[in-house]
Amino acid sequence: MEFSLKKTSVGELSTVLDTVSEQPVDIDFTLPDYCPDIEKILRCKITPKIYNKNLSGGQLQLDGTTVITVLYVDAQNNTIRACEQSLPFSASFQLKDLPGQYIVDAFTKCEYVNCRALSKRRLTVHGAFSLYARVRAKSSIELCSPEDEDILEYNTKDITCASLTSLGQEQFSAGDELKITGKPPVEIILDSDVRACITDYKVIPDRLMLNGELNVRILYLSSPDAQAPQQIDCLIPFNKILECEGLSDDSTVCVDVSLMSFDIRLKSDILSEDPVVDVDSRLCVTVVGYSSVTIPIVLDAYSTEYIVDLENSQLTLPEKICVLSDSFMQKETLSFDDAPIAEIIDFSCEHTSLNPIINGSEITLNSKLNICILAKDGENQPLYIERSVEFGKLLETDTPCNNILSVNSCVASLSYRLGENNTIELRAEIKYCVTASKTTNCAMVTTICANEENKVNKKSCALTLYYAEAGEKLWDIAKCYSTRRKMICDENGLECEELIGPTMLLIPTI
């Protein structure tokens, strides 16, 4: 005979796929006719752009394009010019089982790139980038609670845990047309970059209203024979309403937006003499919501009638979810004794690494920025410099945590000032969102079985005298005598579970 237990499902976010694939970038190409000859290569940058994420039939398919941008010095006019090539890439990843409700995270990281001029008009590029793919799905843990059984006694414990109640993800487009005012018109785009950040969001039942901004940087020439490049830095706001079933005002919410791809191109406007810059980006917003639930679980059980067999299971449950989302200003002074800088043409950065370290209620974000500087030296010669900036940010949670679930960050703004003694004072605003959890381990009874022929040997007397020692628990005493704990409490006028001192007890027989 098997006794029934009440099953309660608690949602959790489990990782179905977490892998990485290295994508090579190898190309030889000749400069287009409109590009001048190469005197010196300044920088070669590869920008992978993901245009498609598709999960079906147990296979995750990622498709995109790698854009190779080469900045170089014009051999004739000693000015900065650029050329661009694109290579498609594709990768597929197998999954054992297709999950029901899931989210797909895909991002790239440049590992290395080498560019060499074979001649004044021919280039060879060799590099690679890592394509990271992760699929997380909603699953459930079944907790066993007592059912009403007259012949069973339960030792229970109330477990408070964070249950995954909502999971949503959606891709959408964001951008705008930029009309350049107060600067020379855009004729040729040399280089560009887009970063996406969340500014604020609001939770309403089963929906999330999101506001954010695109930080757009464009390096351009105002004419084909322009000597000095110009730079544009602007913000483009965007908003999105995401349907997310199960989301409520009291949910603990983790929201992330990632930039999959972007395109920046010139667009003719018949009503204006100046070309219009069209910014189009593809974003992916992910929402994960948790709710706190308290459920009694069975730690131990016995029958007052039969000898029972118990099956136990070890559980690891998220007791609480902590979401830390804010921004901070990072200040650094960069020295360039080996490369004298007279004028800065372009100043940008790449967020290359982010490593969280958790220690109780403290989380340290160790991060690394790759600063990219396009400048001119004292002899008016173009030069390109890269510097790495490492820093750590200490975050504090209101509850000690022991597990990092996700971490995201972006450079919301970047500014600089050319200082004395060939230094640059850097100010970078870093926005971050860290989701951590406090997990707890416990053992739970999952199955209770009894043989109806294997009954408990009961005493013939109505009461048994028992001399209990200090520290003994009423549960253990009641289980030993196959009686009810409440009956022992009532008979002896007890309210506490654990005996403080030596006590003589009367044990009722059922």
Side-chain angles (χ1 to χ4, degrees):
M1 168 173 68
E2 182 173 336
F3 297 99
S4 61
L5 292 172
K6 182 182 179 182
K7 308 289 187 179
T8 303
S9 294
V10 174
E12 69 167 350
L13 191 60
S14 59
T15 300
V16 180
L17 175 73
D18 193 358
T19 186
V20 59
S21 171
E22 185 173 282
Q23 300 291 313
V25 179
D26 296 305
I27 186 173
D28 293 348
F29 63 94
T30 302
L31 295 183
D33 294 339
Y34 56 81
C35 290
D37 291 348
I38 300 171
E39 175 66 24
K40 180 178 68 172
I41 296 173
L42 295 173
R43 182 192 187 190
C44 181
K45 180 178 73 170
I46 58 176
T47 307
K49 301 178 180 181
I50 300 173
Y51 290 112
N52 176 57
K53 296 191 300 184
N54 182 42
L55 177 57
S56 63
Q59 179 173 284
L60 173 63
Q61 183 71 31
L62 301 178
D63 302 305
T65 298
T66 305
V67 179
I68 302 116
T69 305
V70 179
L71 292 179
Y72 67 93
V73 178
D74 178 358
Q76 182 176 356
N77 300 316
N78 199 40
T79 56
I80 299 174
R81 294 295 183 265
C83 61
E84 187 176 284
Q85 289 289 322
S86 297
L87 283 176
F89 69 85
S90 180
S92 60
F93 307 92
Q94 297 293 327
L95 282 76
K96 292 182 179 180
D97 299 306
L98 184 63
Q101 192 174 359
Y102 60 86
I103 54 177
V104 178
D105 304 315
F107 61 95
T108 62
K109 177 185 176 184
C110 178
E111 299 298 340
Y112 71 93
V113 58
N114 297 317
C115 180
R116 186 165 60 92
L118 301 177
S119 68
K120 290 186 178 296
R121 300 202 60 80
R122 188 165 181 81
L123 292 167
T124 180
V125 177
H126 300 285
F129 67 91
S130 294
L131 178 61
Y132 293 85
R134 182 174 63 169
V135 178
R136 292 177 291 169
K138 184 177 181 180
S139 59
S140 62
I141 302 174
E142 281 196 340
L143 301 184
C144 297
S145 301
E147 284 277 21
D148 293 331
E149 293 283 354
D150 292 337
I151 61 174
L152 283 180
E153 284 285 293
Y154 297 100
N155 186 16
T156 63
K157 177 183 178 181
D158 286 344
I159 292 290
T160 299
C161 58
S163 176
L164 177 68
T165 53
S166 53
L167 186 65
Q169 188 175 65
E170 188 173 338
Q171 300 176 31
F172 64 99
S173 297
D176 201 357
E177 294 182 354
L178 303 179
K179 294 186 177 181
I180 311 304
T181 58
K183 283 182 173 288
V186 179
E187 181 69 23
I188 300 173
I189 296 177
L190 298 177
D191 192 20
S192 60
D193 187 29
V194 176
R195 298 189 297 270
C197 293
I198 297 172
T199 54
D200 64 86
Y201 62 86
K202 181 180 180 181
V203 175
I204 56 178
D206 297 328
R207 291 183 181 180
L208 182 115
M209 302 175 65
L210 172 73
N211 294 314
E213 58 188 20
L214 301 176
N215 193 323
V216 181
R217 180 189 64 85
I218 302 173
L219 184 69
Y220 72 96
L221 297 174
S222 57
S223 64
D225 56 353
Q227 295 296 308
Q230 303 289 327
Q231 185 177 337
I232 299 172
D233 282 295
C234 64
L235 297 176
I236 299 176
F238 64 85
N239 56 75
K240 179 66 178 176
I241 298 178
L242 180 68
E243 302 288 338
C244 195
E245 185 179 353
L247 210 59
S248 62
D249 295 336
D250 59 353
S251 297
T252 300
V253 183
C254 177
V255 185
D256 174 55
V257 63
S258 60
L259 177 71
M260 296 175 57
S261 63
F262 69 91
D263 291 299
I264 298 179
R265 56 187 179 272
L266 294 178
K267 182 179 180 181
S268 299
D269 188 351
I270 59 175
L271 301 178
S272 174
E273 296 180 357
D274 299 330
V276 174
V277 178
D278 186 28
V279 179
D280 183 26
S281 66
R282 189 69 176 168
L283 305 179
C284 181
V285 60
T286 303
V287 179
V288 182
Y290 297 87
S291 295
S292 181
V293 295
T294 301
I295 300 170
I297 64 170
V298 179
L299 301 180
D300 196 6
Y302 65 90
S303 170
T304 58
E305 296 291 335
Y306 306 102
I307 303 297
V308 298
D309 294 322
L310 306 179
E311 289 186 6
N312 294 273
S313 176
Q314 283 291 133
L315 296 177
T316 300
L317 295 172
E319 187 176 329
K320 187 174 182 181
I321 303 294
C322 297
V323 178
L324 304 176
S325 181
D326 204 347
S327 65
F328 63 93
M329 192 66 69
Q330 180 67 25
K331 301 178 182 180
E332 296 286 340
T333 299
L334 308 178
S335 180
F336 300 91
D337 295 333
D338 55 339
I341 297 175
E343 177 189 353
I344 295 178
I345 300 172
D346 185 40
F347 194 92
S348 61
C349 75
E350 300 169 345
H351 211 157
T352 57
S353 67
L354 185 63
N355 180 33
I357 298 176
I358 190 168
N359 183 19
S361 58
E362 295 182 344
I363 300 175
T364 302
L365 288 182
N366 294 318
S367 190
K368 183 178 180 181
L369 295 180
N370 190 37
I371 306 299
C372 308
I373 303 170
L374 191 62
K376 287 187 177 181
D377 60 16
E379 298 179 356
N380 204 35
Q381 295 296 314
L383 72 157
Y384 176 74
I385 310 169
E386 288 189 1
R387 287 287 189 274
S388 292
V389 176
E390 297 183 3
F391 58 90
K393 175 64 177 177
L394 182 64
L395 311 177
E396 293 186 358
T397 63
D398 56 359
T399 302
C401 297
N402 53 12
N403 187 33
I404 297 290
L405 299 180
S406 66
V407 56
N408 301 285
S409 69
C410 70
V411 180
S413 64
L414 184 69
S415 61
Y416 66 91
R417 187 178 71 87
L418 192 59
E420 299 178 352
N421 301 322
N422 209 40
T423 60
I424 293 179
E425 297 176 3
L426 163 71
R427 289 170 58 92
E429 182 187 3
I430 311 295
K431 286 190 174 183
Y432 62 86
C433 181
V434 180
T435 305
S437 68
K438 177 185 178 183
T439 58
T440 182
N441 297 319
C442 62
M444 177 185 68
V445 174
T446 56
T447 305
I448 305 173
C449 294
N451 186 343
E452 296 184 36
E453 297 180 357
N454 192 7
K455 293 188 176 183
V456 173
N457 293 324
K458 296 185 179 182
K459 295 184 179 295
S460 58
C461 55
L463 293 173
T464 300
L465 191 62
Y466 177 74
Y467 292 94
E469 297 181 357
E472 285 196 64
K473 297 180 179 179
L474 293 183
W475 169 264
D476 296 327
I477 298 172
K479 183 178 181 180
C480 179
Y481 284 90
S482 299
T483 188
R484 298 192 185 278
R485 181 172 44 180
K486 186 178 184 304
M487 294 175 64
I488 297 178
C489 292
D490 294 342
E491 186 70 33
N492 297 275
L494 299 176
E495 294 182 357
C496 59
E497 165 63 22
E498 186 173 321
L499 299 176
I500 299 175
T503 308
M504 184 181 70
L505 297 179
L506 294 174
I507 310 297
T509 300
I510 297 178

